[in-house]
């Protein structure tokens, strides 16, 4: 079960590629062949299962186009 | 079993971003990365409602314009003069400038050095991209020797002097409590840069004296590199010229300007 | 009745600023206004008010920009060469719509000129020396008392129009001493400065404030585009022209020669006028007090048949152009300028008897 998840906001991304470069687990690939509304080449969260919510992709993103979430198993209320 | 999502990283809420608004910077420009670090530190210190940011003129101007924080934009090179007055008049806990290397070390050298000589309790955050970005990539104080710009077509040489090392330069001034230089070319350097910003802001809160943090940032369009190659240019060339780290760190300068108790 | 002192004009500026509730002063040494900076250095810190000696006049005007942005009454003072360095700042203040007062104690020009008197900054004060074509109200005191009064009026007008106001003095007015009645002049109240920067949580509506010298360039609620901003400036300057013209007329009703002079030269002309009247000559005086907006209409009205005008200025003819454009062809306009000083060295002055001599020539 992946311990993290990212959301990429296509309309904010400018296709710089930092997220893909700095992801230590290669969860993100760039270029993805998809384009943002502004015509920038988007990245892909291509290997979500390897994500551990370290947050580095969001740190390095100049356009704050990535939110990173940690997935925590919540005990089901008894 | 339910899965709870907890946000651990992402853009600060202090960015004023209407629905589809893009950050006003070039693809791969790292200035908004530094902007984010500033916002994170200000938020962690709980000061975003008290802080007054004083941007100069250049690429960095467009960041504080979209921050949910009181701001006073100035003429080119004048943030340290303006911030001096804002701090002395309002006695706000956090008054800091956001500048580029041209704004702070060229046209703003007078105001910057004079504020340091007066030991003003302000913090200067300067992003050095080694050129004048908004005007199309001319030489700036941190352009390195041999680097081509639109005003050094053959590369910076003996007719253009040497790259400016201001954090080191200001260290010798009595009124200066803290100077450091960081970069955001790697996650590790990014976290150090954030710590330098926090340290500088803390000096101001403590009334320790003048603080300045310079941060090297990538500038793809005017370096004529892809964003990824810009990082290589920083690693191989810029960091060889500009050592990172703290150059001065004292708890209190001699006879600091008294700051009312927070 | 306020306290009466015997002080220099420069010091009267300080008393006027204090009476007006000025909270911050930023200055840089330059003769002949140093007594102003020194007064604030003595008087402001003990009152918990801000005094900073800056590193240049560019710094002073930009510190004024910063203080004004926070909504406090603030000012600087300088002399002609320092005034040259303030032009960019004046242009920025006008765009950012920031109220402040600048006291300009003129000295000889151009360039370093002399450290003595002159009226050679008339044009740069009334036309605006920085980029962009803005205007500042320019008040011209002619006495120690008026320097104290005009500084208070300047603070009111600056807040009223959210624009800098210039008080145009000179080395004679600044250095001479006369009795001064120190009293706070009251004006009708003005709205609170909701636009000022204080820190977001200190704003009445909790909304961030943004002061910038590029209004119109960056769209805002108030100015969605550039021309809406420029139109605002146009309305503001038109309102100033309609409402803030000030001048003084002396013995003009029957006058055949009307002198036009401001500041220290108006005092000289009063002397000449009295001597001429003593010799039975019908001479009057128009003293512009607001150099901008210039009292053109008031002067035009005086241009009846047979009346001649004699403009007396301690420069080579600057207000002269405003008088000429006000009067047009309807009456002859003569000029007596600084070349009529009683001696060639920079201390030379245009004396009343020299003005009388010119009156007799044109009469």
């Amino acid at each position: 079960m992946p311990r993290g998840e990212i959301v990429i906001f296509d309309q904010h991304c400018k296709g710089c590629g930092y997220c893909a470069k700095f992801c230590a687990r290669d969860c993100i690939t760039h270029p993805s062949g998809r384009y943002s509304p502004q015509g920038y080449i988007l990245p892909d969260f291509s290997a979500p299962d390897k994500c551990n919510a370290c947050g580095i992709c969001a740190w390095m993103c100049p356009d704050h186009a990535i939110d990173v979430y940690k997935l925590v198993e919540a005990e089901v209320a008894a | 079993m339910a899965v709870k999502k907890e946000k651990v990283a992402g853009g600060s809420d202090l960015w004023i971003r209407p629905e589809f608004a893009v950050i006003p910077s070039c693809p791969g420009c790292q200035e908004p990365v530094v902007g984010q670090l500033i916002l994170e530190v200000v938020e962690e210190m709980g000061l975003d409602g008290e802080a007054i940011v004083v941007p100069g003129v250049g690429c960095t101007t467009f960041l504080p314009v979209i921050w949910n924080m009181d701001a006073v934009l100035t003429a080119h090179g004048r943030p340290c003069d303006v911030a001096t007055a804002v701090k002395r008049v309002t006695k706000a806990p956090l008054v800091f400038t956001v500048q580029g290397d041209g704004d702070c070390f060229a046209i703003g050298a007078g105001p910057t050095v004079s504020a340091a000589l007066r030991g003003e309790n302000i913090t200067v955050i300067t992003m050095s991209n080694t050129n004048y970005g908004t005007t199309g990539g001319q030489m700036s104080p941190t352009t390195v020797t041999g680097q081509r710009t639109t005003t050094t077509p053959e590369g910076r040489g003996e007719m253009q002097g040497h790259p400016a090392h201001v954090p080191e330069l200001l260290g010798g001034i009595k009124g200066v409590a803290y100077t450091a230089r960081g970069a955001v070319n790697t996650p590790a350097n990014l976290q150090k840069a954030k710590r330098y910003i926090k340290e500088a802001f803390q000096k101001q809160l403590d009334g320790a004296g003048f603080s300045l943090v310079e941060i090297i940032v990538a500038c793809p369009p005017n370096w004529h590199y892809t964003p990824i190659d810009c990082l290589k240019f920083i690693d191989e060339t810029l960091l060889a010229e500009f050592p990172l780290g703290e150059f001065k760190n004292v708890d209190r300068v001699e006879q600091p300007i008294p700051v009312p108790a927070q | 009745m306020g306290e009466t002192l015997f002080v220099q004009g420069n010091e009267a500026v300080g008393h006027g600023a204090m009476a007006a509730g000025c909270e911050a002063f930023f200055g840089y040494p330059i003769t002949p206004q140093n007594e102003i900076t020194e007064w604030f250095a003595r008087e402001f810190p003990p009152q918990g008010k801000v005094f900073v000696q800056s590193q240049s006049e560019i710094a002073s005007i930009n510190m004024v920009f910063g203080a004004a942005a926070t909504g406090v009454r603030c000012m600087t003072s300088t002399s002609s060469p320092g005034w040259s360095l303030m032009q960019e700042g004046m242009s920025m203040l006008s765009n950012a719509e920031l109220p402040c007062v600048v006291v300009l104690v003129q000295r000889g020009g151009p360039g370093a000129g002399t450290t003595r008197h002159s009226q050679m900054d008339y044009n740069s004060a009334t036309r605006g020396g920085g980029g962009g074509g803005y205007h500042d109200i320019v008040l011209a005191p002619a006495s120690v008392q008026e320097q104290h009064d005009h500084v208070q009026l300047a603070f009111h007008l600056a807040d009223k129009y959210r624009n800098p106001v210039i008080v145009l003095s000179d080395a004679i007015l600044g250095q001479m001493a006369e009795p001064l009645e120190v009293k706070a002049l009251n004006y009708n109240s003005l709205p609170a400065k909701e636009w000022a920067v204080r820190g977001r949580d200190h704003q009445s509506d909790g909304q961030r404030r943004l002061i910038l010298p590029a209004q119109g360039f960056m769209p805002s609620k108030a100015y969605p585009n550039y021309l809406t901003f420029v139109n605002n400036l146009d309305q503001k300057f038109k309102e100033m022209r309609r409402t803030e013209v000030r001048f003084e007329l002396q013995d003009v009703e029957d006058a055949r020669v009307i002198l036009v002079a401001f500041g220290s030269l108006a005092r000289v002309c009063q002397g000449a006028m009295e001597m001429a009247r003593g010799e039975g000559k019908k001479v009057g005086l128009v003293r512009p007090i607001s150099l901008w907006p210039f009292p053109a209409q008031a002067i035009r009205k005086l241009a009846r048949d047979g009346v001649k005008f004699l403009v007396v200025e301690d420069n080579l003819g600057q207000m002269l152009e405003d008088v000429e454009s006000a009067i047009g062809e309807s009456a002859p306009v003569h000029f007596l300028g600084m070349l009529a000083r009683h001696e060639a060295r920079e201390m030379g002055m245009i004396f009343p008897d020299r003005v009388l001599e010119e009156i007799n020539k044109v009469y």
Side-chain angles (χ1 to χ4, degrees):
Chain A
M1 202 281 282
R3 281 177 289 136
E5 182 186 85
I6 70 171
V7 174
I8 298 175
F9 303 100
D10 292 355
Q11 76 274 23
H12 292 162
C13 171
K14 293 193 190 119
C16 67
Y18 288 150
C19 53
K21 172 181 170 54
F22 285 109
C23 176
R25 295 164 157 248
D26 297 326
C27 302
I28 306 170
T29 50
H30 182 269
S32 68
R34 284 186 307 109
Y35 294 87
S36 79
Q38 282 87 10
Y40 293 113
I41 303 168
L42 292 171
D44 244 350
F45 185 33
S46 46
D49 51 357
K50 291 195 281 182
C51 173
N52 65 358
C54 73
I56 285 179
C57 55
W59 298 355
M60 302 308 286
C61 174
D63 296 281
H64 316 310
I66 303 176
D67 280 350
V68 180
Y69 295 91
K70 192 160 77 180
L71 305 181
V72 178
E73 281 148 20
E75 295 73 27
V76 176
Chain B
M1 102 325 236
V3 171
K4 194 161 69 59
K5 274 200 215 173
E6 182 201 318
K7 183 175 168 187
V8 292
S12 160
D13 297 337
L14 289 174
W15 293 99
I16 302 171
R17 301 184 66 166
E19 192 39 40
F20 279 86
V22 184
I23 296 277
S25 60
C26 306
C29 165
Q30 292 189 304
E31 294 193 347
V33 174
V34 178
Q36 170 74 14
L37 294 183
I38 293 170
L39 294 179
E40 283 176 11
V41 172
V42 171
E43 261 178 309
E44 283 157 20
M45 289 176 135
L47 288 172
D48 50 294
E50 299 283 337
I52 299 173
V53 59
V54 182
V57 171
C59 304
T60 59
T61 306
F62 304 103
L63 304 174
V65 165
I66 57 168
W67 286 355
N68 187 16
M69 184 188 299
D70 272 14
V72 182
L73 263 74
T74 80
H76 191 27
R78 298 298 148 196
C80 281
D81 292 333
V82 174
T84 291
V86 169
K87 178 75 178 187
R88 288 196 179 212
V89 168
T90 63
K91 300 182 175 52
L94 187 62
V95 176
F96 65 98
T97 79
V98 168
Q99 303 175 259
D101 54 317
D103 190 83
C104 189
F105 306 153
I107 188 168
T112 304
V113 171
S114 298
L117 288 169
R118 288 191 303 268
E120 297 293 342
N121 254 314
I122 59 175
T123 304
V124 171
I125 310 280
T126 295
M127 300 177 215
S128 293
N129 61 357
T130 79
N131 77 95
Y132 283 82
T134 36
T135 46
Q138 296 78 17
M139 175 184 77
S140 76
T142 55
T143 298
V144 295
T145 305
Q147 183 178 353
R148 286 181 202 283
T149 70
T150 58
T151 49
T152 55
E154 301 307 316
R156 182 173 190 167
E158 68 279 5
M159 298 303 287
Q160 289 86 28
H162 304 280
H165 290 250
V166 174
E168 294 92 325
L169 176 74
L170 295 183
I173 294 176
K174 280 190 175 174
V176 174
Y178 186 81
T179 68
R181 176 184 300 113
V184 283
N185 61 323
T186 67
N189 281 343
L190 177 137
Q191 288 304 327
K192 280 195 215 123
K194 180 174 177 177
R195 191 164 48 77
Y196 298 151
I197 293 170
K198 187 167 190 124
E199 191 72 21
F201 283 169
Q202 190 56 51
K203 294 295 177 190
Q204 179 173 162
L205 292 179
D206 298 343
F210 181 88
S211 50
L212 177 142
V213 177
E214 175 188 16
I215 298 176
I216 293 174
V217 291
C219 177
N222 292 313
W223 291 1
H224 304 291
Y225 288 130
T226 66
I228 302 300
D229 288 344
C230 283
L231 302 176
K232 210 147 72 64
F233 178 68
I234 294 174
D235 291 341
E236 292 163 2
T237 308
L238 294 190
L239 295 193
E241 173 66 44
F242 301 111
L244 303 182
E246 293 180 341
F247 300 94
K248 186 165 187 187
N249 187 347
V250 298
D251 292 341
R252 277 170 82 78
V253 300
E254 285 171 53
Q255 78 181 41
I257 297 176
V259 169
Q262 292 314 309
Chain C
M1 240 286 277
E3 187 193 9
T4 301
L5 308 173
F6 184 73
V7 292
Q8 286 184 312
N10 279 342
E11 195 174 326
V13 164
H15 291 289
M18 188 71 90
C22 176
E23 288 295 327
F25 176 91
F26 309 92
Y28 187 78
I30 184 167
T31 300
Q33 62 79 55
N34 296 308
E35 296 81 6
I36 298 178
T37 313
E38 288 159 358
W39 187 91
F40 283 98
R42 281 196 314 273
E43 301 294 333
F44 260 30
Q47 307 250 341
K49 293 175 186 264
V50 171
F51 167 82
V52 179
Q53 177 173 320
S54 66
Q55 75 270 16
S56 74
E57 289 90 350
I58 301 178
S60 297
I61 197 69
N62 278 285
M63 289 179 183
V64 163
F65 188 99
T70 72
V72 299
R73 284 190 160 180
C74 57
M75 68 175 281
T76 185
S77 63
T78 190
S79 183
S80 313
W83 170 245
S84 302
L85 293 179
M86 293 186 173
Q87 295 316 297
E88 179 202 39
M90 294 300 288
S91 185
M92 298 290 172
L93 284 160
S94 199
N95 178 297
E97 296 186 278
L98 290 177
C100 67
V101 172
V102 178
V103 174
L104 170 53
V105 184
Q106 295 166 99
R107 67 190 242 180
T114 74
T115 54
R116 299 294 193 273
H117 53 278
S118 96
Q119 296 186 317
M120 299 171 87
D121 294 339
Y122 176 93
N123 279 346
S124 76
T126 58
R127 268 48 178 183
Y134 53 90
H135 284 291
D136 301 311
I137 292 173
V138 181
L139 301 173
S143 68
V144 166
Q145 184 70 44
E146 270 195 338
Q147 288 176 69
H148 161 274
D149 299 350
H150 283 188
V151 164
Q152 294 189 56
L153 173 60
F155 272 114
H156 173 69
L157 295 177
D159 283 350
K160 178 177 175 183
Y161 291 99
R162 284 184 61 183
N163 199 67
V165 173
I166 299 164
V167 176
L168 190 62
S169 170
D170 66 41
I172 295 174
L173 291 168
Q175 302 288 336
M176 76 183 190
E178 283 178 331
L180 167 69
E181 189 201 339
V182 180
K183 60 183 183 307
L185 308 175
N186 35 51
Y187 302 95
N188 39 40
S189 63
L190 293 169
K193 296 178 178 176
E194 282 301 322
W195 44 265
V197 153
R198 297 177 179 85
R200 198 195 58 223
D201 286 357
H202 299 283
Q203 302 293 359
S204 50
D205 57 7
Q207 299 294 313
R208 67 84 60 103
R209 292 301 187 271
L210 172 62
I211 296 286
L212 67 161
Q215 294 197 95
F217 174 56
M218 294 187 186
S220 65
K221 274 201 289 298
Y223 309 119
N225 56 51
Y226 181 55
L227 285 190
T228 45
F229 168 67
V230 175
N231 178 58
N232 160 66
L233 282 189
D234 186 39
Q235 299 306 322
K236 193 190 280 196
F237 297 144
K238 282 190 170 113
E239 180 57 21
M240 289 181 195
R241 283 192 168 96
R242 265 194 304 274
T243 320
E244 306 303 343
V245 174
R246 289 173 170 80
F247 57 90
E248 190 183 62
L249 301 179
Q250 285 177 32
D251 302 339
V252 294
E253 301 72 20
D254 65 342
R256 278 192 53 194
V257 169
I258 295 179
L259 304 170
V260 187
F262 71 94
S264 49
L265 271 293
R267 301 289 289 272
V268 169
C269 286
Q270 266 165 344
M273 191 170 70
E274 276 142 27
M275 287 193 276
R277 285 277 174 179
E279 294 172 2
K281 291 197 168 65
K282 297 187 178 62
V283 174
L285 168 69
V286 178
R287 175 166 77 97
I289 294 173
S290 62
L291 301 186
W292 197 91
F294 187 70
Q297 232 173 7
I299 291 177
R300 192 173 305 124
K301 267 201 229 110
L302 298 173
R304 331 178 275 282
D305 317 342
V307 166
K308 302 182 183 87
F309 288 85
L310 175 58
V311 176
V312 184
E313 278 185 276
D314 199 20
N315 54 44
L316 294 175
Q318 297 186 27
M319 181 178 69
L320 172 64
E321 291 166 11
D322 284 341
V323 175
E324 283 172 335
S325 71
I327 293 169
E329 301 308 320
S330 50
V333 177
H334 300 277
F335 175 67
L336 187 67
M338 65 191 296
L339 295 178
R341 288 184 176 186
H342 76 287
E343 62 162 54
R345 287 174 42 241
E346 80 282 6
M347 279 118 54
M349 289 178 65
I350 305 172
F351 284 138
D353 51 11
R354 180 65 185 80
V355 176
L356 181 62
E357 187 186 309
E358 201 66 17
I359 291 169
N360 291 332
K361 263 195 229 151
V362 306
Y363 199 80

